Amino acid sequence: MNIIISGKQIELTDGIKSSIEEKIGKLDFYLHPSTEAKVTVSAKKARHKIEVTIIPISGPIIRAEDIEENLYAAIDVVYDKLNTQLRKYKKRLHDRHHVNESIRYQTDDLLEDSDYSEDEENIDIVIERHKKFDMKPMSPEEAVLQMDLIGHDFYMFRNVDTDDISIVYRRRNGGYGMIEHE
């Protein structure tokens, strides 16, 4: 695995780099040898943050992050998160090939449980971050797997069947939902 380590507002010592390479390198068991892992370490006051994004040759992007006072503890926590995600993904792939069950989707309104009120209309809306990324065509089932692997509650993707942009999301009461263009 190719591990790229960078630091923000922190000087990365050889000890830190070797600790990261040792821990993240253990994930080779699940991944193709030419997989790329991007590790970013940052520090703010007494808090250390580590972000790891694994970009495999094929399959979903896997991401984990943690903030701790001790950098080495943060590395351990991120490793555990990634290990859990990869094991879960591998098991799902195995189950998917042996059992032909699909993930249940419901098309309920996203706002059915929200606490939106008219007072919130007067709040200034400030978009603090913009993200752009490529969207490869995938099935809704693959999008749900990707959403789970990156630890988000929703995932935007290009539907392989319709070639439209769709969103899958985790419902508060369990299950998944999908939003499509009409």
Side-chain angles (χ1 to χ4, degrees), residues 67-155:
I67 300 172
E68 299 283 338
E69 288 181 17
N70 181 332
L71 178 60
Y72 295 99
I75 294 168
D76 290 342
V77 171
V78 165
Y79 167 77
D80 291 342
K81 287 179 180 180
L82 290 170
N83 192 32
T84 301
Q85 289 176 7
L86 287 167
R87 272 190 289 128
K88 188 175 177 182
Y89 178 65
K90 188 174 182 180
K91 183 182 180 327
R92 282 188 180 174
L93 285 179
H94 178 74
D95 292 348
R96 183 194 222 174
H97 292 299
H98 287 65
V99 180
N100 196 11
E101 293 179 7
S102 64
I103 298 170
R104 187 176 135 226
Y105 290 93
Q106 294 182 349
T107 56
D108 292 336
D109 188 7
L110 269 177
L111 299 176
E112 69 183 355
D113 297 327
S114 72
D115 297 328
Y116 181 79
S117 69
E118 289 182 23
D119 295 339
E120 293 174 358
E121 257 182 56
N122 298 329
I123 297 174
D124 290 335
I125 297 174
V126 177
I127 298 174
E128 295 180 4
R129 187 171 181 184
H130 293 267
K131 283 190 174 184
K132 291 183 180 184
F133 55 93
D134 288 333
M135 286 189 283
K136 70 175 187 173
M138 63 177 68
S139 69
E141 290 83 5
E142 289 174 294
V144 169
L145 287 174
Q146 178 72 31
M147 175 183 69
D148 287 342
L149 286 171
I150 61 175
H152 289 180
D153 292 327
F154 69 93
Y155 188 77

Side-chain angles (χ1 to χ4, degrees), residues 1-5 20-22 24-25 35-39:
M1 176 180 348
N2 181 22
I3 302 172
I4 301 166
I5 304 171
I20 291 170
E21 288 172 351
E22 180 184 325
I24 303 303
T35 298
E36 187 174 280
K38 293 182 180 179
V39 181

Side-chain angles (χ1 to χ4, degrees), residues 20-83:
I20 291 170
E21 288 172 351
E22 180 184 325
K23 275 291 189 182
I24 303 303
K26 289 180 183 179
L27 300 172
D28 263 345
F29 174 74
Y30 298 107
L31 303 166
H32 190 274
S34 54
T35 298
E36 187 174 280
K38 293 182 180 179
V39 181
T40 305
V41 180
S42 58
K44 231 179 207 178
K45 297 184 182 176
R47 311 284 289 172
H48 295 90
K49 179 177 182 180
I50 182 166
E51 301 172 69
V52 179
T53 304
I54 297 175
I55 305 166
I57 300 283
S58 64
I61 294 172
I62 299 144
R63 187 176 182 288
E65 68 179 58
D66 190 52
I67 300 172
E68 299 283 338
E69 288 181 17
N70 181 332
L71 178 60
Y72 295 99
I75 294 168
D76 290 342
V77 171
V78 165
Y79 167 77
D80 291 342
K81 287 179 180 180
L82 290 170
N83 192 32

Side-chain angles (χ1 to χ4, degrees), residues 135 138 140 143 155-159 164-168 178:
M135 286 189 283
M138 63 177 68
Y155 188 77
M156 184 170 69
F157 67 102
R158 182 172 300 280
N159 194 322
D164 287 334
I165 303 298
S166 300
I167 297 173
V168 291
M178 188 163 91

